[in-house]
Amino acid sequence: MSPGPRVNDPREPIAERRHRLGLRLSSVAQQLAVLAAVPLAPFLAVIAYSFYGDLTALTRNPAGQSLAPALERLLVDMVLLGAVLAVTLWLAVTISRSIRYPLLRLRAGTARLARGELGFRVAAGGLRELAALAEDFNHMAERITEANARLKSSRESFRSLFERGPLPCALSSVRSGGFLAVNDSWLALFGHAREQTLGRAASELSLWADPGQNEGLSRLLRERPTVRNFEARLRRADGGVLDTLLSVEIMALEGEPVWLWMVTDITARKRYELAVSRLNRELENRVARRTAELSQANRELEAFSYTIAHDLRAPLRAIDGYSRLLARDCGSQADLQEGAAHGTDRGRRHLERIHVNVMHMAEMIEHLLAFAHVGRGAMKHSRVDLQRIMGELAQECQPEGARVDIRVGSLPEVSGDASLLRQVFQNLLANAVKFSSRADSPLVEVSGWEEDGWVVCQVRDNGVGFDMDYAGKLFGVFQRLHRADEFQGTGVGLAIVHRIVTRHGGAVRAHGEPGRGATFTVKLPAESPPECEDCPNPAMDAAHA
Amino acid sequence: MDVLLVEDNPDDAELTLMALRDCEAVGELVHALDGAQALEYILAGGPRACRNGARLPKVVVLDLKLPKLDGLEVLRRIRSDERTRRLPVVVLSSSDQESDLRRCYEQGVNSYVVKPVGFEEYLERVSQLGRYWLALNRTQRPEADTEPPASRV
């Protein structure tokens, strides 16, 4: 009997297979009973006939004279009967052996299987069908064993997930509230012993630091089967309070509804958050304080500039005014006293020097104010067309009398404050023109290019140049590398250049050689970052430049 | 009165008055030493007040940095008084700060002139100023004011 495809179907439920096997067993037993009855029937008929003949012989001979032959025949019959019985017995034993024993073995196997002895196997033997049956049985037992093993290993892995997982988990009975199982992480988190926890409810363990939260969670769980990341403050065995995110969901465990609790400890995170927000607050305070200080400094600077503008100019005006009046008076006196002509001339020259110096100081004040101004005030960022600005400046900076060849190459656009950048290049160009004006054929070249997000602009002249040893002084306020009688100036122009370029997040470099000209290189970010308007460069730091 | 000069610095005042006298157009000159004195001249209430606005100056030449009331405040008071709100006021200041210019024009100044440091330039600028406001410019006479004084309570 070859097992049909259905028998081998592993998806068939075990109970059903067991039932089908039982049905087959009973039908086989019935068939065997019928088969056993068929060979017995002729023997029984022969015995019955023989007794019938004996009885007839006795009745025909009332005198009983002929009892002996009858007894003889009876004896023969008895022998025959014995033979028949022997054959019957033999048949019975044979049938038992090949049918009943295997059947009993199968029954015993079924019973042991039912008791859970999955390792038990039935010995094959007996009729062909019965052998196939035993084989089927064994096959089924095999499948049950495998299925059981799979179930067991899956349960084991889930159990170990629960038991040894890093997430603190617990199961509690919905009916009683008592904990049914807790894992090691849970115990480690809360500091309770396992036996202390099991069977007790969360409230009995004083797990809730804030009982109001317990009510809140219960309310949520009445509305839905799952609550995720409920912020709860839970108490440890030692009284310490934890900030946690609690996830709770309902599930069935062996038919009983249970809550599965999962806890994420966010105490440290909370502490960090608190620390970060405290730090932020402190930082904000500090920034506010610094801003206040800065705006105070700016206000003072404003007052300072105002004082310079207003109060330092007034005495200069008076000095110039009265020295001019004095010159007038001297002039009229000179007309009267011809002999003193020489002395008057000297007096006139001295008065002239006073005037020149007054005007120089007035210029310095003006430039100092301009310098203070470029460090303050908001910058208005826009796209600046350097090409156009340079074109205009090249004409403006042309000195009277002497011609300077100013060549402007192609220049890129840059982002920045147009009027401030204009001042940068005005100062550079004016410088270049001034210091090259005494060359045989004065030449100023302006070139520009873009590299790696920077706009580079160069102003080169073939003028007197400078000694690189003093390059560091070049951008300081009132720092000059030339005597006043060589080249006029206050020494603020390059300081202004430096300040404006720095405010744009750029840099300015100077390179020169005495007698061989100078090159100023301005590097500006092509896209300027938004300047922090609360922290303008205080004009004071230029004094240290 | 033609010109009221409001100037605390005696040297500046001397140079300014000298320059103003140089131009023929200027008749009577009054010099106020601070803002409070200036308002006494212009507005009623002070001992030397111009009576009823009949003798208001043709132009007020006002310095900004003054003791007591500063120039800006004097300007504000002049502009907020009904009798003087059209009075020509010229600021003559050392400051060429954008913020000062803005504030003055916001208060309705008629002109803003920066004092130069150089003497010759200063004389030239101030005489020009005098000639412009006294000879060239037409000022509305106070009695021709269309606002009836009765409208003020």
Side-chain angles (χ1 to χ4, degrees):
Chain A
M1 183 171 142
S2 62
R6 283 201 54 180
V7 176
N8 274 341
D9 189 353
R11 286 161 300 181
E12 195 180 2
I14 289 163
E16 201 179 301
R17 288 173 66 183
R18 200 179 282 180
H19 175 64
R20 221 156 46 77
L21 190 69
L23 278 183
R24 203 192 291 171
L25 280 175
S26 67
S27 83
V28 166
Q30 279 167 15
Q31 282 172 17
L32 288 176
V34 173
L35 279 175
V38 171
L40 278 177
F43 288 106
L44 290 174
V46 169
I47 293 166
Y49 178 76
S50 171
F51 267 97
Y52 177 71
D54 294 344
L55 282 173
T56 311
L58 274 175
T59 48
R60 274 182 195 161
N61 195 352
Q65 293 296 315
S66 52
L67 258 179
L71 283 172
E72 258 173 52
R73 287 189 61 185
L74 188 60
L75 187 66
V76 171
D77 286 346
M78 290 300 282
V79 170
L80 269 174
L81 189 62
V84 165
L85 278 173
V87 167
T88 309
L89 198 67
W90 174 79
L91 269 174
V93 168
T94 309
I95 288 169
S96 273
R97 242 209 210 130
S98 61
I99 297 173
R100 195 166 158 260
Y101 286 177
L103 278 177
L104 282 175
R105 280 203 300 274
L106 271 174
R107 204 184 132 215
T110 317
R112 292 177 77 164
L113 198 67
R115 279 204 303 275
E117 291 178 37
L118 297 177
F120 179 75
R121 295 291 176 270
V122 179
L127 288 176
R128 198 157 55 90
E129 283 81 1
L130 284 174
L133 200 60
E135 199 179 298
D136 271 7
F137 175 88
N138 287 343
H139 190 65
M140 184 191 75
E142 195 71 43
R143 307 297 294 240
I144 292 174
T145 310
E146 280 172 22
N148 241 30
R150 274 202 301 275
L151 197 66
K152 200 174 166 193
S153 99
S154 139
R155 192 186 289 163
E156 278 304 310
S157 53
F158 276 106
R159 172 176 283 273
S160 77
L161 250 181
F162 177 86
E163 298 256 303
R164 289 200 288 279
L167 187 67
C169 294
L171 291 169
S172 72
S173 161
V174 170
R175 229 168 281 142
S176 69
F179 283 110
L180 302 171
V182 290
N183 67 2
D184 293 346
S185 306
W186 177 284
L187 295 173
L189 183 64
F190 291 104
H192 294 288
R194 195 181 295 276
E195 52 274 18
Q196 202 180 350
T197 308
L198 294 182
R200 293 223 177 110
S203 52
E204 289 175 77
L205 292 165
S206 304
L207 221 53
W208 292 96
D210 175 2
Q213 288 182 330
N214 183 10
E215 283 159 31
L217 180 65
S218 305
R219 215 167 23 247
L220 285 174
L221 284 170
R222 275 197 289 277
E223 292 162 12
R224 55 185 105 144
T226 303
V227 172
R228 293 244 172 270
N229 296 331
F230 180 85
E231 263 199 65
R233 289 169 60 73
L234 301 179
R235 191 181 288 113
R236 288 171 48 88
D238 61 12
V241 174
L242 302 167
D243 286 297
T244 66
L245 290 179
L246 198 55
S247 294
V248 179
E249 63 185 80
I250 197 161
M251 55 187 282
L253 188 72
E254 287 158 12
E256 203 200 341
V258 294
W259 295 120
L260 170 62
W261 305 53
M262 287 164 284
V263 180
T264 313
D265 181 11
I266 55 164
T267 312
R269 198 170 88 194
K270 275 264 172 187
R271 205 163 52 228
Y272 293 143
E273 275 173 10
L274 213 68
V276 165
S277 79
R278 197 175 54 234
L279 271 178
N280 269 348
R281 252 194 331 274
E282 267 172 31
L283 204 64
E284 272 165 27
N285 284 343
R286 205 176 299 168
V287 166
R289 214 161 43 236
R290 292 282 292 157
T291 309
E293 281 169 14
L294 267 175
S295 44
Q296 170 68 20
N298 267 348
R299 272 197 302 277
E300 281 166 9
L301 198 68
E302 189 91 28
F304 175 71
S305 310
Y306 193 85
T307 303
I308 292 175
H310 204 275
D311 295 353
L312 290 190
R313 274 173 176 163
L316 280 184
R317 192 161 43 244
I319 293 169
D320 196 51
Y322 290 115
S323 64
R324 297 315 266 181
L325 288 173
L326 190 60
R328 275 189 198 174
D329 295 347
C330 286
S332 50
Q333 272 180 15
D335 291 338
L336 295 172
Q337 303 169 352
E338 286 173 29
H342 180 66
T344 311
D345 270 356
R346 254 181 44 186
R348 241 186 244 284
R349 203 180 67 77
H350 291 165
L351 288 169
E352 184 56 34
R353 291 315 302 161
I354 291 176
H355 174 66
V356 166
N357 277 289
V358 165
M359 295 320 281
H360 182 61
M361 185 159 175
E363 196 184 19
M364 283 168 77
I365 289 171
E366 196 181 308
H367 289 179
L368 197 59
L369 275 177
F371 176 69
H373 184 73
V374 298
R376 297 198 318 273
M379 296 210 300
K380 291 193 257 324
H381 277 278
S382 63
R383 298 300 298 170
V384 181
D385 184 356
L386 290 180
Q387 183 86 56
R388 193 178 53 80
I389 286 183
M390 284 296 194
E392 290 168 7
L393 289 175
Q395 295 196 327
E396 284 173 26
C397 294
Q398 199 58 251
E400 284 173 36
R403 288 276 332 151
V404 174
D405 189 0
I406 302 177
R407 295 180 195 166
V408 179
S410 81
L411 300 171
E413 276 197 352
V414 71
S415 173
D417 184 301
S419 72
L420 288 179
L421 289 181
R422 188 189 169 86
Q423 203 173 344
V424 166
F425 293 109
Q426 186 175 27
N427 290 3
L428 288 179
L429 221 53
N431 258 14
V433 167
K434 180 163 74 182
F435 292 110
S436 64
S437 56
R438 290 188 199 160
D440 290 338
S441 47
L443 174 65
V444 175
E445 288 173 291
V446 182
S447 56
W449 61 89
E450 276 189 79
E451 60 179 38
D452 306 333
W454 295 91
V455 166
V456 184
C457 201
Q458 229 169 38
V459 179
R460 182 197 303 271
D461 66 68
N462 63 348
V464 292
F466 61 88
D467 191 334
M468 281 302 277
D469 284 352
Y470 306 118
K473 285 183 141 190
L474 220 48
F475 296 105
V477 188
F478 293 143
Q479 296 286 355
R480 302 207 66 219
L481 300 187
H482 301 278
R483 293 200 312 275
D485 56 349
E486 290 176 319
F487 291 100
Q488 282 211 324
T490 55
V492 180
L494 287 179
I496 287 177
V497 166
H498 183 261
R499 158 139 304 182
I500 294 174
V501 171
T502 309
R503 273 194 85 183
H504 278 80
V508 57
R509 274 198 331 270
H511 189 268
E513 209 178 312
R516 305 198 55 177
T519 305
F520 286 85
T521 309
V522 173
K523 205 171 163 189
L524 294 164
E527 304 293 335
S528 17
E531 194 195 30
C532 169
E533 292 301 347
D534 286 338
C535 35
N537 300 331
M540 272 98 85
D541 64 12
H544 313 294
Chain B
M1 181 175 26
D2 284 337
V3 180
L4 173 66
L5 173 68
V6 190
E7 173 65 78
D8 64 317
N9 183 324
D11 295 326
D12 270 2
E14 191 181 332
L15 295 179
T16 309
L17 290 171
M18 187 190 294
L20 284 174
R21 281 194 196 105
D22 275 358
C23 62
E24 304 81 27
V26 178
E28 193 188 343
L29 278 170
V30 176
H31 175 208
L33 290 165
D34 58 49
Q37 214 175 65
L39 287 177
E40 268 177 32
Y41 276 111
I42 300 167
L43 304 169
R48 288 177 286 185
C50 314
R51 258 159 290 145
N52 257 345
R55 299 248 312 135
L56 280 178
K58 286 182 182 165
V59 63
V60 177
V61 177
L62 183 66
D63 188 19
L64 277 186
K65 205 174 177 202
L66 295 167
K68 299 179 190 170
L69 293 178
D70 70 3
L72 208 66
E73 180 60 21
V74 171
L75 176 62
R76 199 186 63 74
R77 300 235 186 141
I78 288 174
R79 285 293 175 253
S80 57
D81 193 292
E82 190 54 45
R83 290 162 298 170
T84 55
R85 69 187 171 93
R86 293 187 190 82
L87 182 65
V89 177
V90 176
V91 163
L92 183 63
S93 166
S94 297
S95 165
D96 55 357
Q97 302 243 50
E98 205 53 47
S99 52
D100 279 336
L101 281 158
R102 196 190 62 239
R103 279 196 287 262
C104 286
Y105 280 110
E106 273 168 7
Q107 290 293 334
V109 79
N110 297 80
S111 182
Y112 190 111
V113 177
V114 177
K115 292 176 185 171
V117 172
F119 175 66
E120 267 91 18
E121 208 188 341
Y122 189 82
L123 286 187
E124 174 57 30
R125 220 174 262 194
V126 175
S127 343
Q128 251 183 36
L129 194 146
R131 276 197 301 276
Y132 174 80
W133 285 104
L134 298 172
L136 211 55
N137 186 51
R138 284 290 307 276
T139 317
Q140 194 184 17
R141 281 190 302 274
E143 52 267 37
D145 201 317
T146 47
E147 292 272 327
S151 68
R152 290 182 73 247
V153 180

